[in-house]
């Protein structure tokens, strides 16, 4: 039986008063790989969730992409897989408009021995945000995410293909970047996505047809709470997938579903406000303040050890090709989309860093944590970046960047800076999980191997 509304916390009582038909609640979180996991409870459990009377095994935050536990750092099988207490993230109780039956979702976090669970990506970000706050600075953050719409029917050989346009009855075949006809083709689905985001208080902005058939981008608006910005990103990805499913289409944030087409990125916009609300990246008459230069210098300094978080799996690294607006050099520039860090020009009060390296498949908490750690590192150590890059930075791969999965994990294990911000054990645990995932991936014999070697003599 459900608790009387009067005995529920105000947030839960108000929600059920507004949505009395709700039948179930999804308690959700994003794991190490950025996959949304959780449990679905009858709505009568909502009070228990808010009371902290529900628990989950802490190892759920240490799974690979397929949901397998590899016992990283002895956490999973070796320690008996202990439970940790579930805590609701305040303000995250929202309806699920795309569900077949009326239910809601709430985002959760875990506590171990009364403290935030150290290996939870959201808590890794929280520790980094705290370090920025000690400088009297508050990040303002927005994510931009590219994604593909796919036909659920695969092409020959099981390959993905663009969906059939409801407007024309044909599949997209050209790039048509910024094409409005392509936006019109899926207007119903895209409008339903934005409506679902409104229902969940996810602040969305412009919708853009991107650089490949079936590829789109929807911007999230800036918020001055980094944890909330990353929460929005997790909820946003789930909403897009859920609405697309209702339309009989698959939405994917896979970094590179088509080898010959553009990849999907997770672009991150960051500015910093001081205690008086002034943007410390504003250089006045200069295009960049000294603080912005230090922040850029810090991010670039730790970019090699950050790559394992920005590109979390084998497919992620297929994005990094020359001359396709994907950063492949450790550089920055003003209004330069070929650079790893782009500084958009305009009003000084809006000066920001656009971090363009991460794939759409990455965990937003860990991506943002690497950026904020780099910013703090650069400011506190007064790091000067190289001169701003002019022209095409995407002409050739930077040999100093580990653009292969195993090399990126090796760089992470050699990390000194991120280990300081993320916790001494976290890089090793993350690398152990992803190395085990890579081992399993490489055990499979691909079609290419059969094509090349089956008949070889």
């Amino acid at each position: 039986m459900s608790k009387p509304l009067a005995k529920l916390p105000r947030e839960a009582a108000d929600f059920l008063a507004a949505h009395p038909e709700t039948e179930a609640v999804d308690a959700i979180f994003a794991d190490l790989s950025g996959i949304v996991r959780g449990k679905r409870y009858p709505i009568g459990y909502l009070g228990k969730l808010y009371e902290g009377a529900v628990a989950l095994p802490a190892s759920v935050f240490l799974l690979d992409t397929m949901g397998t536990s590899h016992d990283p750092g002895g956490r999973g099988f070796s320690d008996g897989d202990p439970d940790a207490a579930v805590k609701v993230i305040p303000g995250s109780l929202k309806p699920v408009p795309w569900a077949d039956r009326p239910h809601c979702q709430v985002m959760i976090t875990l506590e171990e021995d009364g403290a935030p669970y150290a290996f939870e990506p959201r808590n890794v970000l929280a520790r980094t945000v705290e370090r920025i706050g000690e400088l009297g600075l508050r990040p303002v953050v927005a994510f931009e995410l590219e994604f593909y719409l796919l036909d659920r029917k695969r092409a020959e050989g099981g390959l993905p293909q663009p969906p059939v346009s409801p407007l024309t009855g044909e599949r997209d075949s050209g790039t048509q970047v910024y094409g409005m006809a392509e936006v019109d083709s899926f207007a119903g689905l895209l409008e339903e996505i934005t409506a679902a985001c409104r229902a969940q208080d996810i602040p969305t902005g412009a919708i853009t047809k991107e650089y490949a058939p079936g590829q789109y981008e929807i911007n999230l608006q800036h918020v001055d709470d980094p944890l909330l910005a990353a929460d929005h990103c997790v909820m946003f990805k789930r909403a897009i997938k859920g609405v697309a499913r209702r339309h009989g289409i698959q939405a994917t944030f896979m970094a590179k579903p088509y080898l010959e087409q553009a990849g999907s990125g997770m672009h991150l916009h960051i500015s910093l406000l001081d205690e008086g609300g002034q943007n410390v990246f504003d250089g006045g008459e200069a295009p960049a303040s000294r603080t912005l230069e230090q922040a850029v210098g810090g991010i670039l300094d730790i970019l090699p050890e950050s790559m394992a978080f920005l590109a979390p799996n084998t497919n992620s690294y297929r994005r990094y090709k020359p001359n396709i607006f994907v950063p492949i050099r450790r550089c920055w520039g003003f209004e330069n989309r070929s650079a790893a860090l782009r500084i958009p020009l305009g009003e000084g009060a809006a000066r920001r860093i656009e971090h363009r390296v991460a794939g759409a498949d990455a965990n937003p908490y860990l991506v943002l944590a690497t950026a904020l750690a780099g910013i703090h590192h650069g400011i506190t150590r007064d790091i000067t970046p190289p001169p701003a890059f002019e022209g095409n930075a995407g002409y050739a791969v930077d040999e100093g960047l580990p653009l292969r999965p195993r090399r990126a994990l090796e760089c992470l294990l050699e990390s000194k800076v991120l280990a300081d911000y993320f916790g001494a054990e976290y890089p090793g645990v993350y690398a152990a999980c992803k190395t085990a995932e890579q081992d399993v991936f490489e055990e499979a014999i691909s079609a290419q191997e059969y094509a090349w070697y089956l008949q070889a003599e």
Side-chain angles (χ1 to χ4, degrees):
M1 294 292 291
S2 300
K3 282 189 174 185
L5 295 187
K7 293 185 179 180
L8 287 171
R10 172 61 63 86
E11 179 180 350
D14 288 349
F15 179 88
L16 291 180
H19 304 277
E21 73 286 358
T22 304
E23 298 177 4
V25 55
D26 292 346
I28 64 170
F29 58 89
D31 72 359
L32 173 148
S33 298
I35 308 270
V36 173
R37 304 189 189 276
K39 274 191 175 185
R40 180 166 297 169
Y41 296 94
I43 196 61
Y45 277 70
L46 189 58
K48 292 180 179 292
L49 284 167
Y50 275 86
E51 291 169 0
V54 173
L56 287 174
S59 64
V60 293
F61 281 104
L62 300 172
L63 304 176
D64 72 8
T65 303
M66 296 304 293
T68 302
S69 173
H70 295 286
D71 202 40
R75 289 171 175 82
F77 303 115
S78 298
D79 61 356
D81 202 17
D83 278 347
V86 167
K87 299 293 181 184
V88 167
I89 296 172
S92 68
L93 180 60
K94 306 295 178 185
V96 180
W98 59 87
D100 292 331
R101 300 177 68 181
H103 73 268
C104 60
Q105 70 181 33
V106 67
M107 299 192 75
I108 59 171
T109 182
L110 295 188
E111 287 188 355
E112 187 176 50
D113 299 325
Y117 180 55
F119 296 96
E120 179 181 334
R122 192 177 191 273
N123 294 332
V124 170
L125 173 58
R127 293 194 293 272
T128 309
V129 171
E130 185 177 356
R131 298 277 289 272
I132 293 278
E134 291 170 356
L135 302 179
L137 299 173
R138 185 172 78 254
V140 179
V141 178
F143 286 87
E144 291 177 352
L145 285 145
E146 296 164 330
F147 61 94
Y148 273 92
L149 299 178
L150 304 177
D151 196 322
R152 289 202 165 273
K153 181 181 178 181
R154 296 294 185 245
E156 185 177 352
L159 299 177
Q161 61 181 341
V164 174
S165 164
L167 198 62
T168 67
E170 299 177 355
R171 299 186 197 279
D172 286 349
S173 58
T175 299
Q176 298 300 350
V177 65
Y178 288 94
M180 292 308 301
E182 286 69 27
V183 173
D184 290 339
S185 287
F186 291 94
L189 186 155
L190 296 170
E191 289 167 6
E192 192 172 325
I193 288 172
T194 57
C197 289
R198 281 196 301 274
Q200 295 196 331
D201 297 317
I202 304 168
T204 59
I207 299 171
T208 306
K209 171 64 179 65
E210 273 297 334
Y211 204 66
Q215 189 187 36
Y216 294 85
E217 178 183 87
I218 301 178
N219 297 348
L220 294 173
Q221 296 179 14
H222 291 79
V223 295
D224 63 356
D225 180 340
L227 290 170
L228 181 60
D231 290 343
H232 284 159
C233 190
V234 171
M235 295 167 64
F236 176 70
K237 292 174 76 170
R238 186 172 194 243
I240 287 177
K241 290 180 178 181
V243 172
R245 193 164 51 244
R246 279 185 64 87
H247 284 251
I249 289 173
Q250 181 181 3
T252 181
F253 293 88
M254 184 178 180
K256 192 81 167 177
Y258 303 108
L259 193 59
E260 71 281 6
Q261 301 289 354
S264 291
M266 176 187 289
H267 299 163
L268 184 59
H269 293 255
I270 307 174
S271 55
L272 282 182
L273 304 183
D274 63 19
E275 292 173 339
Q278 300 300 307
N279 184 358
V280 299
F281 288 167
D282 182 358
E285 294 183 1
S289 69
R290 177 59 187 163
T291 306
L292 186 146
E293 292 177 346
Q294 293 168 329
V296 166
I299 295 173
L300 293 179
D301 186 53
I302 68 168
L303 196 55
E305 65 191 79
S306 302
M307 282 303 303
F309 297 118
L310 307 178
N313 58 60
T314 300
N315 179 260
S316 309
Y317 293 86
R318 299 191 186 280
R319 281 181 65 235
Y320 303 111
K321 303 291 183 184
N323 298 320
I324 197 165
F325 298 114
V326 176
I328 54 175
R329 300 194 69 78
R330 189 163 36 151
C331 65
W332 69 296
F334 295 101
E335 283 296 359
N336 190 338
R337 285 183 169 83
S338 68
L341 304 180
R342 168 180 173 252
I343 312 302
L345 297 179
E347 293 294 326
R351 187 72 70 244
R352 63 192 185 274
I353 297 170
E354 181 188 9
H355 192 313
R356 297 176 54 82
V357 182
D361 55 343
N363 182 310
Y365 299 111
L366 298 176
V367 170
L368 181 51
T370 66
L372 295 182
I375 287 171
H376 186 277
H377 172 64
I379 292 173
T380 56
R381 288 162 179 78
D382 191 23
I383 296 176
T384 298
F389 199 98
E390 296 182 4
N392 178 22
Y395 69 93
V397 171
D398 185 340
E399 296 300 325
L401 275 182
L403 297 182
R404 293 291 183 270
R406 288 200 184 272
R407 179 61 191 132
L409 291 168
E410 290 169 0
C411 283
L412 178 59
L413 287 173
E414 295 163 3
S415 158
K416 292 183 174 57
V417 177
L418 285 181
D420 176 45
Y421 287 91
F422 284 23
E425 293 183 82
Y426 194 78
V429 167
Y430 180 94
C433 182
K434 285 299 180 180
T435 298
E437 177 180 327
Q438 188 73 22
D439 290 343
V440 174
F441 181 87
E442 291 175 358
E443 285 176 0
I445 299 177
S446 69
Q448 185 86 323
E449 285 184 70
Y450 286 123
W452 281 26
Y453 305 126
L454 191 61
Q455 303 300 327
E457 297 181 3

